Amino acid sequence: MSSASLSSSSPGLRIAADVGGTFTDVAVFDEDSGGIRLGKTLTTPSSLIEGMNHGVGKAGADFADARLFLHGTTVAINALLERKGARTALVTTKGFRDIYEIGRINRPEAYNLFFRKHQPLVERALRVEVDERMDAAGEVLRPLIDTEVEAIARRLLEEGVEAVAILFLHSYRNPDHEIRARNIISRMMPNAFVTASHELSQEYREFERSSTVAANAYIGPHVTRYLSEADRVLSGVKFHGKLLIVQSTGGLYDAAQARRECIRMLESGPAAGVIGTRELCAVIGLRNAIAFDMGGTTAKAGVILDGVELTANQVMVGGYAEGLPIQIPMIDIEEVGTGGGSIARLAQGKSLRVGPESAGAVPGPVCYGNGGTEPTVTDANLLLGRLAPDLFLGGEMKLDVDGAARAMTDQISGPLGLSVAEAADGIIRIAVTQMANVVKRVTTARGLDARDFAMVAYGGAGPLHAVLVARELQIPRVIIPNAPGHFSAYGMLVSDLRRDYVRTLFARLADAPFDSFNAIFRELEQRGRDDIDEAAPERLDIIVKHAVDMRYIGQEHAVTVEIDSGAFEARDIDAIKAAFDAVHNQRYGYASNDESAEIVNLRLSVIGVIAKPRLAPLDAAASASADEALIGVRPVEFGVMGGRLETPLYDRARLLRGHRLTGPALIQEYASTTVLLPGDVLTVDQMGNLDIKIEVQP
């Protein structure tokens, strides 16, 4: 991958590393030459930072020469999902210790007799009450007694608590009691991770705020140890630059903030991929796109609508049925446990299941030869001929076809009375259906039609399956970017520093207190500018975005509406109401122009714009024929879409702008393989992207 030069006040290397469940991807941007170099290595679960260091070496770079290290990791989300966090206590207002467990009493499956509600991260015995109380206006009803908090801290020390979450009623309006309690507990428990809800969200809804601060405390010690280990290793390799972490918004924040606000990095890697998709769309003039990311462990999907990534203000980590709400801004990403390493097994009644358990990096799929014993999606692709066993990772890792075939025969095809190819095809078809459902959750469930979007597919396994998912959903166009196996790492290189704020303030739009609105916006903007100035490696241009959460009077839930700041300065009620009606209509299919509305929350985002790498266009091909990129022909099984076909294999590095291919075909590159189905047509665009027109069935 190459790029045009980028001016900088202090040029050097900018290193980005995305640590996934199976592979660690590294992209290194040289601000002097404008080039981007790539490295990929198996993730090292015992020491993730060591795996990153290895990947940087494979990219021909050195941390000692870098001025910025941008990092996205699954360490936070994994600790939460796998329930491997710290022994945590929740300190809350008297009478409210059980709101965290009671929740919203959601019953997604009303007739499911085996339904299980969410399981709190904090056991009831460690949910401790304090006899204090604020009212909804932030006025003190019962004062906080310091000696009571001190006694609680002594008890928690005796209980061996490692992390403490503090949630007091209405602290979003007045955080004074939370601040005092945090200071006392931090003083008496100096080795504990202590966090208060107002530091993460100044938004109403006590259950969601309880869940958010509890999750931050639960993963806090684990993330803090990880970042401390990263500091130690980086110091050892003489890195003297700035370490920035990718947030779930796709923005960057510094490591000091990441230690306090760990919950903001839950979806850091996937979010960077969506930001990369947004930048790609801007370059090629695409307004609407589905970002589809398939790696070794999971598949993720997000949406770019009108050139902007869709965001959510709350997500259910662990799924809607049993998950825990996290109330912070993040890119709206849905995911499923279907990746290249997802294990295929026969369940009760010999029904075939794929995932969510993954073979991960250790032992990995059977074909990796690292001790894996159960067939995976990667093994199925190899047995169908869609992966070249001698070209995986540029030939660095030879794949074991015979081992994969034995595992498939013993555990899947033999018991089902199928051929190896039929069993492998069944695994892929099940995986594709599961991934198509994820795409539906970010489109159809949001009132969008997937057929109106192009799909940008990346991740090591994304190009293998993208056209299959597109056909399932009748998506007419798929784009495979340059170096798709490193695309999330590339997304970090085009990310900006970002801080997001929310402040609850209930007001009817008709008599909205615009003076108060504008004062709050000015306060939040100054906080954001100060935070970014402190974290930035240099002086940055600032972009400020304003939004409000609104609803019709009488509704319970609100939608977020981005509003130009001029509408608040001009007190333009009609413009604000029209913007709300449009968003509500898109989300729910109706709007009421005559119905009164109210504002619930004010939102403000402050973005520090970092200079971006600019990719250079490819040389033009002499003709549309891509014969010069042909490196072989191999038999590939396409199942119901064509059966077993002799399929040409092309080297992507040799494809030039204007080259055109008609499926079936395989396009091979270092960290990925693109599958072109019979009837699909691929054109290489001026930036080197593979632009595929899908033969959609009516």
Side-chain angles (χ1 to χ4, degrees), residues 412-467:
I412 307 294
S413 65
L416 291 178
L418 302 173
S419 69
V420 167
E422 288 171 332
D425 184 58
I427 290 170
I428 298 302
R429 291 170 66 183
I430 290 171
V432 165
T433 298
Q434 292 172 172
M435 291 184 287
N437 288 335
V438 164
V439 175
K440 288 178 183 177
R441 293 208 298 269
V442 293
T443 52
T444 307
R446 308 298 195 260
L448 306 171
D449 189 337
R451 296 171 296 182
D452 295 335
F453 291 75
M455 176 186 286
V456 177
Y458 52 94
L464 269 171
H465 304 88
V467 293

Side-chain angles (χ1 to χ4, degrees), residues 147-422:
T147 54
E148 183 181 2
V149 180
E150 291 170 354
I152 288 170
R154 284 191 290 270
R155 173 193 158 186
L156 298 181
L157 271 173
E158 294 172 359
E159 293 276 0
V161 166
E162 302 170 87
V164 181
I166 304 169
L167 181 286
F168 290 152
L169 203 65
H170 302 305
S171 60
Y172 63 87
R173 182 71 74 191
N174 181 353
D176 178 62
H177 285 183
E178 282 195 353
I179 293 170
R180 285 170 52 199
R182 180 198 61 198
N183 292 341
I184 293 169
I185 294 172
S186 295
R187 172 173 51 83
M188 298 189 66
M189 302 177 68
N191 296 322
F193 182 92
V194 183
T195 179
S197 71
H198 75 275
E199 298 169 314
L200 305 170
S201 173
Q202 291 186 320
E203 183 177 354
Y204 80 120
R205 297 191 185 279
E206 308 315 309
F207 164 55
E208 286 78 4
R209 292 173 59 241
S210 296
S211 180
T212 302
V213 73
N216 194 57
Y218 184 75
I219 65 174
H222 188 67
V223 172
T224 300
R225 285 192 295 270
Y226 174 78
L227 293 176
S228 297
E229 171 68 7
D231 282 341
R232 184 190 66 78
V233 174
L234 291 172
S235 177
V237 295
K238 297 181 173 56
F239 172 69
H240 302 296
K242 197 91 173 181
L243 170 61
L244 298 176
I245 308 298
V246 183
Q247 304 177 67
S248 299
T249 58
L252 302 166
Y253 68 153
D254 66 25
Q257 290 171 325
R259 283 185 170 88
R260 299 190 302 270
E261 302 171 19
C262 316
I263 203 70
R264 297 192 188 276
M265 58 190 288
L266 280 183
E267 294 284 4
S268 60
V274 177
I275 295 300
T277 301
R278 183 194 67 193
E279 291 301 307
L280 182 149
C281 290
V283 170
I284 66 175
L286 184 62
R287 297 291 296 170
N288 300 324
I290 297 164
F292 175 71
D293 177 5
M294 183 182 179
T297 307
T298 59
K300 284 82 66 175
V303 169
I304 307 298
L305 183 66
D306 293 329
V308 179
E309 67 278 11
L310 291 189
T311 59
N313 300 317
Q314 177 185 303
V315 296
M316 299 293 289
V317 175
Y320 178 65
E322 300 176 36
L324 293 165
I326 303 298
Q327 187 170 267
I328 58 169
M330 59 178 64
I331 292 178
D332 193 358
I333 295 172
E334 293 284 347
E335 67 180 79
V336 65
T338 305
S342 293
I343 294 170
R345 290 175 176 153
L346 296 182
Q348 188 175 13
K350 291 188 178 180
S351 57
L352 182 58
R353 298 285 187 269
V354 179
E357 187 177 348
S358 173
V362 179
V366 177
C367 63
Y368 284 8
N370 290 334
T373 59
E374 297 181 279
T376 66
V377 171
T378 295
D379 295 307
N381 276 300
L382 177 66
L383 295 171
L384 292 170
R386 299 176 190 179
L387 289 175
D390 55 340
L391 296 177
F392 194 74
L393 289 185
E396 295 174 12
M397 181 186 290
K398 304 297 182 183
L399 300 182
D400 182 3
V401 180
D402 292 338
R406 284 194 298 271
M408 188 70 71
T409 299
D410 293 343
Q411 300 178 46
I412 307 294
S413 65
L416 291 178
L418 302 173
S419 69
V420 167
E422 288 171 332

Side-chain angles (χ1 to χ4, degrees), residues 472-492:
E472 182 92 359
L473 298 173
Q474 296 189 317
I475 295 171
R477 184 182 180 193
V478 170
I479 296 168
I480 311 296
N482 288 286
H486 295 81
F487 192 70
S488 288
Y490 167 75
M492 297 174 194

Side-chain angles (χ1 to χ4, degrees), residues 311 332 444-447 558-560 582-590:
T311 59
D332 193 358
T444 307
R446 308 298 195 260
V559 296
T560 300
V583 172
H584 197 280
N585 185 64
Q586 180 189 76
R587 186 65 181 267
Y588 298 110
Y590 73 94

Side-chain angles (χ1 to χ4, degrees), residues 478-631:
V478 170
I479 296 168
I480 311 296
N482 288 286
H486 295 81
F487 192 70
S488 288
Y490 167 75
M492 297 174 194
L493 294 177
V494 297
S495 295
D496 296 310
L497 280 162
R498 177 169 178 148
R499 294 294 282 167
D500 294 275
Y501 304 97
V502 58
R503 186 73 60 82
T504 290
L505 194 156
F506 295 96
R508 294 199 173 202
L509 183 59
D511 49 13
F514 283 99
D515 288 339
S516 297
F517 288 172
N518 292 326
I520 291 171
F521 279 137
R522 286 192 294 270
E523 174 201 340
L524 297 179
E525 179 178 338
Q526 190 58 53
R527 282 179 56 192
R529 288 178 178 272
D530 292 343
D531 281 354
I532 286 176
D533 284 344
E534 183 178 348
E538 59 202 20
R539 190 74 177 177
L540 302 177
D541 291 334
I542 298 294
I543 295 174
V544 180
K545 294 184 177 181
H546 300 76
V548 289
D549 291 351
M550 295 182 66
R551 63 191 181 188
Y552 293 114
I553 292 174
Q555 283 185 321
E556 169 62 14
H557 294 284
V559 296
T560 300
V561 186
E562 190 167 330
I563 304 289
D564 187 274
S565 61
F568 290 97
E569 297 290 347
R571 304 169 185 261
D572 193 341
I573 291 175
D574 291 339
I576 296 172
K577 177 61 162 54
F580 164 62
D581 287 338
V583 172
H584 197 280
N585 185 64
Q586 180 189 76
R587 186 65 181 267
Y588 298 110
Y590 73 94
S592 180
N593 297 333
D594 300 326
E595 191 78 19
S596 298
E598 64 180 345
I599 290 173
V600 176
N601 297 312
L602 305 180
R603 297 187 181 274
L604 185 121
S605 300
V606 183
I607 300 165
V609 181
I610 298 178
K612 309 290 189 295
R614 298 299 178 192
L615 301 181
L618 280 189
D619 293 333
S623 72
S625 173
D627 289 347
E628 60 200 75
L630 183 66
I631 56 176

